[in-house]
Amino acid sequence: MGIEEILNITPDDLADGAEREADNGEREEDGVIRPQWQSDWGIVTGTLYLNRKETRNARDAGYIVGLAASVCSAGFPVCCPVAAQAGGIGIAAGRYYEEGNCAKLKVIGPTLKPERHKKGKRSCK
């Protein structure tokens, strides 16, 4: 496939609209994986349970977003809370992943509080 063919690819070429099962058991539509998260929601708070793969991804994303927000906060102090929140999630998710556990995120207002979710419970496989 040459560069001309790559540049002429349309969204219709990439996805056929079929629903299929992804390698990790999650539903996939139009080439986009739709995770099947497990969660509990109350009136004020909620909890989002991550599996092992999502915990690993939260670790990586937390580190990257935390680093980017830290650099941003040098010029724009509004980035400081984002840096702290993302860094905290990245550190906690990394620790839980290395222990063989998963992360669960407690949603309390505008914040996310990471907590340990032991392997073998709910979606932690």
Side-chain angles (χ1 to χ4, degrees):
M1 180 178 279
I3 190 71
E4 295 82 21
E5 295 165 329
I6 293 172
L7 293 176
N8 291 325
I9 292 176
T10 66
D12 293 331
D13 295 332
L14 298 175
D16 59 3
E19 185 175 316
R20 55 199 166 272
E21 197 71 18
D23 292 338
N24 59 3
E26 295 174 336
R27 198 171 52 130
E28 184 178 354
E29 291 178 17
D30 297 330
V32 177
I33 292 176
R34 311 265 188 243
Q36 302 297 313
W37 288 323
Q38 292 188 7
S39 59
D40 291 328
W41 296 101
I43 295 173
V44 178
T45 64
T47 305
L48 181 64
Y49 297 89
L50 305 179
N51 62 30
R52 293 273 297 150
K53 183 177 178 182
E54 293 164 343
T55 298
R56 185 191 67 227
N57 292 342
R59 173 197 65 188
D60 298 342
Y63 290 154
I64 292 168
V65 172
L67 179 63
S70 297
V71 171
C72 171
S73 65
F76 303 98
V78 72
C79 296
C80 288
V82 174
Q85 181 77 61
I89 290 172
I91 291 168
R95 182 177 40 185
Y96 302 152
Y97 183 79
E98 296 302 322
E99 292 172 349
N101 295 314
C102 299
K104 64 180 177 181
L105 301 174
K106 299 273 295 179
V107 180
I108 306 169
T111 63
L112 295 171
K113 179 184 173 198
E115 294 181 353
R116 179 178 289 106
H117 181 58
K118 295 202 180 224
K119 188 172 185 173
K121 293 189 175 182
R122 273 191 108 120
S123 63
C124 187
K125 297 176 178 94

